[in-house]
Amino acid sequence: MAILYPKYETIKNLRVPPTEGEFKMIDFLLENLNDEYEIYFQPFLNGDCPDIILMRKGGGVLIIEVKDWDLNSYHLDYRKRWFVNYNNALIKSPISQVLKYKENMYDLHIQNLLELKLRDYRYWYIVNCAIFFYKENENDVREFLLSPFEQQREFLNDKKAQKDAYDRLKKSEESYLTFLNKNIELIGKNNLNSKDLKDLLYRKWISRQSFNFSSELYDSFKRYLKPSFHSLDDGRNFKYTKKQLELSTSKQGEQKIKGIVGAGKTLVLAKRAVNAHIRTNEKVLVLTYNISLKNYIHDKVSRVREDFYWENFHILNYHDFFNSMMNNFGIEFDIPEDFDNWENWRKEQFFNDKYYGNINLFKDFQNRIEKYSAILIDEVQDYRTVWLRLIKKCFLAENGEFVVFGDSKQDIYNRVSLVESKKVLVIPDSPGRWAELNQSFRLTPIITAFASDFQKKFLAERHIPDEFENIDFQSALFDKVHYKYFGTLDFKVLADFISSYSTKLESHPNDVCVLSLSIETIREIDFHFRKATNERSYIMAETKEFYDHLKEKYGQTKKFYKELDKIRKNKKLHFWMNSGVTKFSTVHSYKGWEIKTLFLIVQKDTLETTYKELVYTGFTRCMNNLVILDIDDNELSTFMDELQFVEKIENPAANKELR
């Protein structure tokens, strides 16, 4: 018998019970497959909840979406979009839904799978898709899916169209059939027999030995499909301050927590998330804005000394969570036909108004949403107010716990409200005072002093300066902020300097990060750094080699930029701190992380309206050795000249020893 996760009894007692069709498919697979096969029912994959995933080690993966639908209640338009008959409401096509689960396996969930597919398309067929229509026969499903072509044929008949119009329609229909045959297995109630199942698994290579579905890839899939247990001994002893312990206490209701950089906001969030799970014995949702930060929060949660199952913690980026919920509930993005011609600001406004900020989007699915008894929001200064309202209204249980964490000085997206010309974190629907964390544990006294002076010089016009509790100017005798003015941007010169100065600082590659405001800058410097040192690195974007490969393959087309976006997101999602290599990232992607030795490349030539906030956010990632590489910011150069604890590096060649 196949191995089922979770156990059958657990599935029967779920808060949202399985449908008849889902039970039918589970029972059928259990009866007809041996223990080489693993069946996962509604696994939580970073927000995605496909109905069933079937996997066989050495074979492959099959995603099965189950629909208990009577197709007489639906119709398709000429664009093959699905509509409900009684109210003509647009819904997501089951084909698009299951293919989205598959795409996300490559683009988001499984490390290295996207890059493998981009280099060798055969990897695309490791994961396969099927839709089970519980109430329909396979032939009826096919006939329904082809109905738009019949409608167009009748239209041509009425218009007495020319032969070439019929030829184009026939070609389009054949192309669609080819697409279905290659990408989707249609399973009707008449296909629930051992022969058809055996044929399907053989046809999709799942029952055979696959060269591409390696043991490493199988382990990566299983890690996501079957989260592990975290024991108390897996955590670490950590001495929390009285204030941190107080704010880590889980309780129902709303709370707002703000703190200076390095004050342990994420540490408090992680412990509070675990405490919330222990208090409620329910799942906890933690939302970030920065995509890569989910792994940092995961790491902090793993350090809490408590027993828990990882499946109880859903840690996601806001937009990924939202997109997954839409896909899970079959809500389709209804994109205007001329959308590609719109300007970017108009596209962003469209998505926010109609989807990401639409407070009523999930109103018809409230009885199907498994609400959270605790939701924690990190970096709340990056959120629009309407997003918070939507999350509370749609996904927070009654009398639930809702906690936000933030710092207005790190408002790099310019979303914090101005109150009497100062940026102040305001959550309109959350009354009460902000709890505060004012002691920085990340920053050395000198970096703290530098942060304080930087705030007063560059941020005070729009922000209320922080009151730091651990400023010690006497440390300037022994500690310095390292600074070099370059004047021009030369990628090779910068890479050589970073390599030599890291060595002088005796910094292990694992403890070094290079930040810039520009993807192009880190891509080029990463390339020259690897050439100069023969060392591996991790860049939170595409490498120069891969960029050139895609550019040669696609040219500067929409496909080129789409693939770039995919690889960048994938690299952020799979970024971990202790990779053993030097890291390269933009400030946007690294926000929330920390590192012992930081090289911050500052370029004034930027259109960013939050330029100074970006610089501040960048250098406050540093825990020890801060090296600022100024390309062309004369105002910053003048400021650095005035600080006694800054060590100016006049030119790299002259610095044989650190002073």
Side-chain angles (χ1 to χ4, degrees):
M1 182 182 289
I3 302 169
L4 177 65
Y5 301 103
K7 293 180 180 178
Y8 201 89
E9 284 302 312
T10 302
I11 293 173
K12 286 169 62 178
N13 293 307
L14 289 173
R15 186 180 299 174
V16 179
T19 65
E20 288 183 25
E22 288 167 344
F23 267 130
K24 186 73 174 178
M25 179 55 70
I26 291 170
D27 292 339
F28 172 70
L29 294 174
L30 287 173
E31 291 169 7
N32 287 275
L33 297 175
N34 61 31
D35 60 8
E36 290 183 4
Y37 293 87
E38 300 163 24
I39 304 167
Y40 297 89
F41 179 71
Q42 293 185 350
F44 186 88
L45 303 174
N46 293 327
D48 285 345
C49 292
D51 290 332
I52 294 170
I53 290 183
L54 179 68
M55 181 167 69
R56 177 180 167 273
K57 187 174 184 178
V61 175
L62 179 67
I63 305 171
I64 305 174
E65 188 64 20
V66 180
K67 297 301 179 190
D68 293 36
W69 292 357
D70 178 351
L71 292 181
N72 290 320
S73 300
Y74 302 87
H75 69 271
L76 307 182
D77 71 357
Y78 72 99
R79 293 165 62 185
K80 296 184 285 293
R81 297 185 302 172
W82 286 60
F83 292 84
V84 181
N85 287 341
Y86 84 90
N87 62 358
N88 210 38
L90 174 68
I91 61 170
K92 188 154 195 168
S93 157
I95 294 170
S96 299
Q97 188 178 14
V98 73
L99 283 176
K100 189 63 178 178
Y101 288 137
K102 175 176 176 175
E103 287 171 9
N104 286 348
M105 290 271 195
Y106 288 81
D107 298 350
L108 307 180
H109 306 322
I110 308 301
Q111 189 167 5
N112 300 323
L113 193 55
L114 174 63
E115 202 158 340
L116 286 170
K117 185 204 81 172
L118 291 174
R119 293 189 181 278
D120 185 345
Y121 201 73
R122 287 175 295 182
Y123 280 94
W124 178 246
Y125 298 106
I126 283 174
V127 180
N128 293 279
C129 298
I131 307 172
F132 172 45
F133 289 91
Y134 170 56
K135 297 181 177 179
E136 305 289 344
N137 287 318
E138 180 193 353
N139 286 338
D140 294 331
V141 175
R142 289 187 179 277
E143 186 176 318
F144 178 84
L145 293 176
L146 294 175
S147 60
F149 297 99
E150 282 303 313
Q151 295 169 22
Q152 291 179 59
R153 198 167 283 112
E154 291 173 8
F155 175 78
L156 294 179
N157 290 339
D158 291 340
K159 293 290 183 180
K160 298 181 180 180
Q162 299 295 315
K163 181 178 180 299
D164 60 339
Y166 286 96
D167 290 343
R168 286 195 300 270
L169 179 60
K170 183 179 180 181
K171 187 175 181 180
S172 176
E173 184 175 15
E174 290 172 349
S175 176
Y176 186 60
L177 280 170
T178 300
F179 161 79
L180 287 177
N181 291 334
K182 287 185 69 173
N183 293 284
I184 304 291
E185 288 289 335
L186 299 173
I187 304 174
K189 59 185 180 182
N190 60 304
N191 299 121
L192 293 190
N193 59 76
S194 58
K195 181 182 181 304
D196 283 356
L197 176 62
K198 184 178 180 180
D199 290 346
L200 186 158
L201 297 178
Y202 186 86
R203 189 164 60 246
K204 293 303 179 182
W205 214 276
I206 295 169
S207 62
R208 295 186 273 176
Q209 192 64 30
S210 168
F211 173 79
N212 292 324
F213 193 48
S214 64
S215 295
E216 291 77 16
L217 277 177
Y218 166 80
D219 290 339
S220 292
F221 273 91
K222 187 153 188 173
R223 182 168 66 86
Y224 271 94
L225 292 169
K226 188 174 181 291
S228 60
F229 179 76
H230 177 283
S231 72
L232 182 145
D233 293 333
D234 291 333
R236 300 184 187 180
N237 284 315
F238 188 87
K239 189 175 181 180
Y240 297 90
T241 67
K242 182 180 178 181
K243 190 69 174 177
Q244 288 172 335
L245 280 175
E246 174 192 331
L247 297 178
S248 299
T249 303
S250 172
K251 55 188 177 182
Q252 71 178 49
E254 296 187 30
Q255 188 167 21
K256 302 176 292 187
I257 300 171
K258 67 178 180 179
I260 62 173
V261 290
K265 294 187 294 294
T266 309
L267 194 74
V268 170
L269 181 151
K271 188 167 179 61
R272 184 150 182 167
V274 175
N275 287 341
H277 165 61
I278 293 171
R279 178 178 67 85
T280 64
N281 198 31
E282 300 279 352
K283 292 180 171 63
V284 175
L285 175 64
V286 180
L287 291 178
T288 74
Y289 184 79
N290 181 356
I291 295 170
S292 70
L293 202 55
K294 63 184 287 292
N295 292 337
Y296 181 70
I297 294 172
H298 184 284
D299 184 56
K300 293 298 184 187
V301 172
S302 73
R303 299 184 185 191
V304 178
R305 286 180 57 79
E306 296 288 354
D307 291 336
F308 55 80
Y309 282 96
W310 276 110
E311 64 190 15
N312 292 303
F313 297 90
H314 297 171
I315 307 172
L316 295 113
N317 155 269
Y318 173 78
H319 289 91
D320 285 344
F321 173 76
F322 201 95
N323 290 340
S324 292
M325 291 303 106
M326 285 184 61
N327 195 48
N328 292 338
F329 296 123
I331 302 174
E332 180 66 288
F333 283 105
D334 188 10
I335 306 298
E337 293 192 55
D338 63 340
F339 187 75
D340 288 343
N341 300 323
W342 290 15
E343 295 182 46
N344 286 336
W345 68 266
R346 189 181 172 199
K347 290 179 179 178
E348 183 177 350
Q349 184 176 341
F350 168 82
F351 280 119
N352 189 66
D353 292 348
K354 192 162 184 179
Y355 298 104
Y356 300 123
N358 182 354
I359 203 79
N360 296 312
L361 189 67
F362 295 100
K363 68 177 181 180
D364 295 333
F365 303 93
Q366 288 302 294
N367 62 330
R368 291 175 55 191
I369 293 176
E370 188 172 350
K371 297 195 175 186
Y372 295 88
S373 57
I375 299 177
L376 285 69
I377 309 287
D378 197 24
E379 306 284 8
V380 72
Q381 71 274 359
D382 297 339
Y383 283 71
R384 298 180 189 272
T385 299
V386 69
W387 299 349
L388 300 175
R389 289 175 180 153
L390 193 153
I391 288 294
K392 281 198 293 183
K393 178 180 178 180
C394 299
F395 299 99
L396 183 66
E398 188 176 356
N399 297 319
E401 179 177 359
F402 189 79
V403 189
V404 300
F405 298 77
D407 175 9
S408 67
K409 311 300 184 302
Q410 298 183 57
D411 175 32
I412 65 175
Y413 299 103
N414 203 25
R415 289 180 180 147
V416 174
S417 304
L418 285 171
V419 178
E420 295 180 357
S421 78
K422 300 290 185 183
K423 287 200 170 187
V424 178
L425 280 174
V426 176
I427 313 295
D429 302 329
S430 298
R433 295 172 59 86
W434 286 82
E436 297 188 42
L437 293 165
N438 288 326
Q439 186 175 357
S440 180
F441 299 93
R442 176 196 304 153
L443 308 185
T444 64
I446 284 308
I447 298 177
T448 303
F450 180 56
S452 179
D453 285 350
F454 189 93
Q455 282 191 20
K456 293 170 185 174
K457 175 69 175 179
F458 297 113
L459 301 181
E461 184 178 338
R462 294 201 299 172
H463 298 267
I464 300 171
D466 290 320
E467 293 295 330
F468 291 90
E469 296 179 2
N470 56 327
I471 297 178
D472 179 10
F473 287 99
Q474 296 302 315
S475 296
L477 296 172
F478 311 102
D479 195 7
K480 300 288 183 183
V481 171
H482 309 280
Y483 172 81
K484 169 151 183 65
Y485 185 85
F486 282 83
T488 58
L489 180 61
D490 186 312
F491 300 127
K492 185 178 185 305
V493 169
L494 281 165
D496 289 343
F497 174 77
I498 290 166
S499 173
S500 62
Y501 215 70
S502 297
T503 302
K504 292 178 186 298
L505 291 171
E506 298 181 348
S507 296
H508 189 281
N510 189 60
D511 299 328
V512 178
C513 181
V514 181
L515 295 183
S516 168
L517 308 188
S518 158
I519 288 180
E520 180 190 4
T521 298
I522 61 163
R523 184 174 64 231
E524 294 292 334
I525 294 175
D526 167 68
F527 172 73
H528 288 287
F529 178 86
R530 286 184 284 110
K531 282 187 65 176
T533 62
N534 288 317
E535 294 178 1
R536 293 188 306 112
S537 66
Y538 191 96
I539 178 171
M540 224 183 294
E542 72 285 350
T543 62
K544 176 175 170 55
E545 295 91 331
F546 205 78
Y547 178 88
D548 291 342
H549 166 74
L550 291 177
K551 191 173 181 180
E552 182 180 354
K553 184 175 182 179
Y554 299 114
Q556 289 186 299
T557 60
K558 290 178 184 176
K559 178 71 171 175
F560 168 71
Y561 291 109
K562 184 177 180 180
E563 295 301 327
L564 272 186
D565 286 343
K566 282 184 182 179
I567 199 70
R568 288 171 183 174
K569 186 169 186 178
N570 189 271
K571 295 293 283 287
K572 293 173 189 176
L573 282 166
H574 297 289
F575 172 77
W576 294 91
M577 179 58 66
N578 294 314
S579 56
V581 298
T582 300
K583 299 136 186 84
F584 292 81
S585 175
T586 62
V587 172
H588 291 86
S589 296
Y590 205 74
K591 191 163 79 72
W593 289 87
E594 59 190 18
I595 195 76
K596 289 182 180 178
T597 297
L598 176 71
F599 291 87
L600 176 63
I601 300 166
V602 178
Q603 294 169 261
K604 189 67 181 288
D605 183 19
T606 175
L607 297 176
E608 294 280 2
T609 57
T610 54
Y611 168 71
K612 289 295 192 275
E613 284 89 348
L614 279 164
V615 173
Y616 177 80
T617 300
F619 75 71
T620 53
R621 303 305 94 210
C622 184
M623 302 165 62
N624 193 358
N625 301 313
L626 174 59
V627 187
I628 295 180
L629 309 181
D630 186 353
I631 305 303
D632 57 5
D633 190 337
N634 293 322
E635 187 181 17
L636 179 63
S637 177
T638 301
F639 169 68
M640 300 300 277
D641 285 340
E642 299 169 353
L643 301 179
Q644 61 179 350
F645 47 77
V646 171
E647 177 183 26
K648 294 193 69 176
I649 308 166
E650 298 303 332
N651 70 73
N655 286 272
K656 299 300 181 184
E657 298 180 3
L658 291 178
R659 287 174 278 179

